[in-house]
Amino acid sequence: MLIDFRVENYRSFANEQSLSMIASQRIGSDEHPNHRMPLAESGSELLRAAVIWGANGAGKSNLFKAMKFAVEIILEGTEPKAGVPYDPFVFHEEFRSSSSAFAFRFFVDGEIYEYGFTISSSRIEEEWLSVRIAKKDQLLFERMPDLNGVPEVQLGRKITQKEFPRIRALSAVGTRTNQLFLTSIRENIAASEYGTYFSSVLSWFEEHLVFIGPSDRYGLMSELIGSDESFAKFAGQFLHRAGTGVHGLRVQSKDVDIAALKAQVGSERFETLLSSLGEGETHVISTPDDDIDLVIENRGGPSAKMRRIEADHGIEGSTLPLSEESDGTRRLLDLLPALHLLSHGSRVFIIDELDRSLHPNLSVEFLKFFLNACEGDCRQLIVTTHEDRLLDLDILRRDEIWFAEKIESGASELRSLAEFKVRKDLKIDKGYLNGRFGGVPKFGHLQDLLPEADLARLAKA
């Protein structure tokens, strides 16, 4: 589970900002007690949800992008002899040449970890990983440039030769100046040889965090529906009860001519792809159509199938390709794994613009469904939204409500509602729209932009 995420000097964030999932001790235990979960033996509790509001351009999506960027640079790394994707706050000179910093604290496999790094345009400046043992943070490794500018990784006392021989060998060899040490471990050492701590940390970044942007598809939906009967059933029932007109989902598959596919994909790319497939392996190619995937198989020779998602509307002859459904129906389908998978295992879903293409009532029901149905450890939902109907203390705790706001310098700041003194019976949505908590648009005199004839007409009205 995510404990907190910190970011500094990235896009609209200048000074360090933090999104904390730790329950505020200022809020009584009677305020949605099922939204809290104990954090090991720390004495603290973690929240199951965080919902972030703010005006357009206030920084909500930049928080999503910061978290996603940090995870991508861990999992995908950088190219040799290339720079580092560096996107600092540019409105003030002091930040343009300063390092950007990213840090996660999280709980996985019974331990609390902190991992973070700082970057410039050309190199990884710092990197560290620690684990909390007996209420003390124990350093697992720390990376700093030495006097010659070559990265040096110092291992903690817990990283012994007996348990972590490959990690110690890799630290002696070193890593590229533009590559994270954690990424080097992932790329150069077999997962079976990571050792306890690194297995937990890398699995958390690889498997526990799921990002869904405003226009993102959720992975390969045709594969999920076709291979997971419980999800296909759940998705069909949810879409039906949400009033979309869809009664069920299914995947149709048909053979594709290899020669035609080869011409479509490109001969060189197709041969490279085929040579990478072992006997019995498959590769799925996503297409621009959000209801179609191409599956290439190596069964002693290449074969290919086209998979297409179809929606059944409950009337004979009323089955339609998913691409013909409304934007809202397709958006909802891409969000449903967050509800289904959260109720079937450990995940942290981070969704930017939850309400995109959704009816306001559906956004409310989506969040309420998660909070009611997905109780238990290791399940969290973090979303950004403009939907003011979610600003309801009957749905969320005060420390689950966050606001992003641009200050005079042009930088974004994050604040939790728990920082404000509010009555339990206060209409939070009205207070927010009236600007009490920040994070709302500040309009100028827009009517001044009207043509003079229209201004004269309005003055006489």
Side-chain angles (χ1 to χ4, degrees):
M1 296 185 68
L2 180 68
I3 299 173
D4 58 45
F5 171 71
R6 305 189 304 279
V7 58
E8 181 179 357
N9 194 27
Y10 176 79
R11 295 180 67 87
S12 64
F13 295 107
N15 297 313
E16 182 180 275
Q17 298 296 309
S18 176
L19 176 71
S20 175
M21 301 299 290
I22 298 177
S24 172
Q25 295 183 349
R26 297 169 56 186
I27 295 178
S29 59
D30 60 334
E31 193 167 322
H32 298 296
N34 63 323
H35 292 196
R36 298 176 287 117
M37 293 164 291
L39 176 57
E41 299 176 357
S42 68
S44 298
E45 295 177 305
L46 288 184
L47 298 169
R48 299 177 51 229
V51 185
I52 307 155
W53 284 262
N56 295 114
K60 304 184 307 300
S61 292
N62 282 339
L63 178 65
F64 173 89
K65 290 173 182 176
M67 297 176 74
K68 187 176 182 181
F69 166 78
V71 173
E72 286 178 344
I73 200 171
I74 294 167
L75 300 183
E76 298 176 9
T78 57
E79 293 295 327
K81 299 182 180 180
V84 177
Y86 175 63
D87 196 1
F89 181 72
V90 297
F91 289 172
H92 291 271
E93 182 65 32
E94 63 179 292
F95 292 99
R96 295 175 193 166
S97 57
S98 299
S99 299
S100 298
F102 309 83
F104 296 87
R105 277 200 306 157
F106 52 97
F107 178 67
V108 62
D109 295 336
E111 305 287 358
I112 296 173
Y113 293 91
E114 179 174 325
Y115 173 75
F117 57 89
T118 64
I119 61 172
S120 65
S121 61
S122 60
R123 63 186 299 120
I124 308 297
E125 299 287 348
E126 297 177 295
E127 186 183 3
W128 65 93
L129 175 65
S130 65
V131 61
R132 173 150 288 214
I133 298 175
K135 298 185 179 181
K136 291 185 178 180
D137 291 330
Q138 302 285 328
L139 188 69
L140 297 178
F141 77 80
E142 185 175 18
R143 168 206 183 122
M144 296 173 289
D146 69 8
L147 295 178
N148 297 318
V150 178
E152 177 185 357
V153 175
Q154 298 177 354
L155 299 178
R157 289 180 296 175
K158 292 287 183 180
I159 310 304
T160 62
Q161 177 65 31
K162 181 178 180 180
E163 187 176 357
F164 301 93
R166 296 299 303 277
I167 302 292
R168 294 188 67 87
L170 185 62
S171 70
V173 171
T175 188
R176 302 196 314 267
T177 57
N178 69 337
Q179 184 85 302
L180 294 168
F181 183 62
L182 191 62
T183 308
S184 293
I185 292 172
R186 187 171 183 268
E187 290 186 353
N188 295 287
I189 300 177
S192 60
E193 297 180 290
Y194 287 162
T196 306
Y197 302 124
F198 297 95
S199 292
S200 295
V201 169
L202 282 167
S203 72
W204 192 77
F205 284 112
E206 292 169 349
E207 302 170 11
H208 290 231
L209 298 177
V210 182
F211 295 88
I212 303 179
S215 302
D216 289 349
R217 297 174 59 187
Y218 175 80
L220 297 168
M221 185 61 70
S222 68
E223 185 172 10
L224 181 59
I225 293 173
S227 62
D228 190 335
E229 184 178 346
S230 64
F231 174 73
K233 182 179 180 180
F234 168 79
Q237 291 178 339
F238 198 103
L239 291 173
H240 175 54
R241 297 181 186 187
T244 64
V246 174
H247 284 234
L249 299 167
R250 64 189 183 193
V251 175
Q252 293 286 9
S253 179
K254 71 175 183 178
D255 293 334
V256 174
D257 181 70
I258 287 293
L261 179 59
K262 191 173 182 179
Q264 178 183 347
V265 173
S267 179
E268 185 176 344
R269 181 188 173 194
F270 184 85
E271 293 298 337
T272 301
L273 178 62
L274 192 61
S275 64
S276 68
L277 293 179
E279 179 72 27
E281 292 184 342
T282 64
H283 180 81
V284 182
I285 301 175
S286 183
T287 71
D289 297 318
D290 59 6
D291 61 337
I292 296 176
D293 293 316
L294 297 172
V295 183
I296 301 174
E297 301 176 294
N298 181 5
R299 305 290 182 187
S303 64
K305 294 181 181 296
M306 181 185 74
R307 295 191 307 216
R308 186 175 74 173
I309 304 173
E310 295 183 342
D312 180 6
H313 284 254
I315 304 170
E316 186 175 352
S318 64
T319 300
L320 297 173
L322 184 64
S323 58
E324 295 188 24
E325 297 296 331
S326 70
D327 288 344
T329 297
R330 287 180 287 163
R331 172 64 170 171
L332 181 56
L333 178 58
D334 282 320
L335 298 180
L336 288 182
L339 300 183
H340 180 72
L341 296 179
L342 280 169
S343 64
H344 288 74
S346 172
R347 295 288 194 285
V348 182
F349 270 79
I350 303 105
I351 300 173
D352 191 21
E353 295 187 22
L354 170 68
D355 52 314
R356 179 186 174 273
S357 297
L358 298 185
H359 188 279
N361 289 349
L362 188 50
S363 297
V364 171
E365 291 304 317
F366 183 93
L367 183 60
K368 288 170 66 176
F369 185 96
F370 163 71
L371 292 169
N372 291 330
C374 300
E375 294 185 25
D377 294 341
C378 306
R379 299 178 179 96
Q380 290 174 308
L381 185 65
I382 299 169
V383 305
T384 71
T385 185
H386 289 292
E387 182 47 63
D388 59 278
R389 295 191 195 186
L390 294 173
L391 278 167
D392 188 340
L393 295 183
D394 288 334
I395 300 174
L396 292 166
R397 290 166 50 95
R398 283 172 286 168
D399 47 6
E400 293 175 315
I401 294 173
W402 288 78
F403 303 105
E405 184 174 25
K406 282 280 184 73
I407 59 176
E408 289 186 4
S409 66
S412 297
E413 291 190 344
L414 295 173
R415 296 186 71 183
S416 166
L417 182 62
E419 299 177 32
F420 297 87
K421 291 183 178 180
V422 296
R423 304 189 316 271
K424 287 186 178 181
D425 60 347
L426 180 70
K427 294 294 185 182
I428 303 299
D429 55 343
K430 291 184 179 179
Y432 167 66
L433 293 175
N434 288 332
R436 176 172 177 178
F437 312 116
V440 293
K442 298 176 181 178
F443 299 113
H445 295 288
L446 298 179
Q447 289 192 359
D448 292 347
L449 300 177
L450 290 169
E452 291 186 8
D454 290 330
L455 289 173
R457 176 177 52 80
L458 289 173
K460 293 178 180 180

